[in-house]
Amino acid sequence: MLFVDEAWQLPNHLFELPSKLAPIIVGVGDIGQLPPLEIGVNPWRGDPGYNPYRAWPTAYVGDERTWSAELPAVWRPTAQQLALWRAFYPEWAELDCVAAPGDRAMEIEGLAGVAQAVWTQVATGTPVLLEVDGLDEPEAADVDLPLIAVVENLLDELFAAGFALKKVLYDDTGVPTGQVETSSPGAASSDEPLVVVLATRNQAVDDAIGAVERLRDRYGLTENDLLASTVDSWQGQTNGITVAVHPLTGAAELDEFNSAFGRLAVTCTRATHGLLVVSRSGLDDLLSAAPARPGTPFGEPGNRHLPRQTHQRILATFNRGVLTATNGK
């Protein structure tokens, strides 16, 4: 039996050889998945069962041995997220959004100071990058408790103040029904988590899980209110607000792991309402000083520029702010 994971990413000419190795073939894939896609016209349409630029399994729809099922697709961008998504795929002629400006809203109560400035920006729906300067030195690139503490403090103030996510509902043709779905801590209207903390490195995720568990205990939260995860295990998931540790934070150079566009795409495209990416300061310096490396291999997301150029293009779409820590905290 041959299992083909991410079958929608496999073009027919690559499928021909392994297809002869087993009498039973099981393909699993998401027709609405963002990365990676073939070079060409935007193949990401979102129409049920329709994706003309993917060879498999559409080429076998009439085969009595083939079974397929429509599952919920990965989230597509709101109007405020379009610039970020286009930065991943500048060669696409078009990319449609699924919600008009204002149809996804984040309502925040009594915040003040830095937390108010940060979460007010996140509530606009436009992706936010917060660079933190003046922190104590981390133990390593993947052991950065001072940066995780910044994330914990921001979330602490958000849950202490209270917030709600609102979503205008549409019918099957995309016309607003006049109904608005509201989710808030302790009163989520769906199984989709309200806030998710994402990191690429395992130790960073372990530290984030510790912060999340402390916040859950403090405010009586459930996993549907707040959780932490590795980026790799969050593929195919969506959530209201993403708070992510940038994969390049603390890095001394671009390598195959920390500069992978697949991980960055998942980091940046899971949130339905707001995205906050946190990093130590110095991302611009890292990218400008990084030595030239070959472009991304065929089949990887992003266009065929040097990795540092694609990362620079993506960062340019964020609303950016700098937080200066005092006394290393």
Side-chain angles (χ1 to χ4, degrees), residues 94-107:
E94 65 181 57
L95 175 62
D96 299 328
C97 62
V98 295
D103 284 357
R104 302 288 183 269
M106 178 181 178
E107 295 184 349

Side-chain angles (χ1 to χ4, degrees), residues 57-74:
T58 50
Y60 297 85
V61 168
D63 191 325
E64 63 181 10
R65 298 168 300 174
T66 297
W67 174 84
S68 62
E70 287 288 329
L71 299 174
V74 168

